[in-house]
Amino acid sequence: MTHEGERLLQEMLTLAHDANRDLLDRLDLDDLQALVRGTTALRRAAEQLDQ
């Protein structure tokens, strides 16, 4: 990858990270806890697919 490509990739990752942080900042504690439970359940289900 060229230096310009690396720079663009880093910029895109930073923008995505900032957007995710802004989105999560809008959720209250109950919703964040529900999100953690849901993503944990999805991770467990995905791990079972690998078995």
Side-chain angles (χ1 to χ4, degrees):
M1 181 179 293
T2 66
H3 291 295
E4 179 65 11
E6 289 177 9
R7 186 191 67 74
L8 287 172
L9 179 59
Q10 185 58 45
E11 184 178 328
M12 288 172 34
L13 292 173
T14 298
L15 289 172
H17 174 50
D18 291 347
N20 284 333
R21 186 183 61 234
D22 291 345
L23 183 61
L24 292 175
D25 283 345
R26 295 175 183 268
L27 298 179
D28 64 23
L29 183 58
D30 288 339
D31 289 336
L32 287 171
Q33 290 171 333
L35 180 60
V36 168
R37 284 191 305 276
T39 54
T40 299
L42 284 172
R43 182 183 48 81
R44 271 191 250 124
E47 287 172 352
Q48 291 175 357
L49 291 174
D50 291 335
Q51 296 176 359

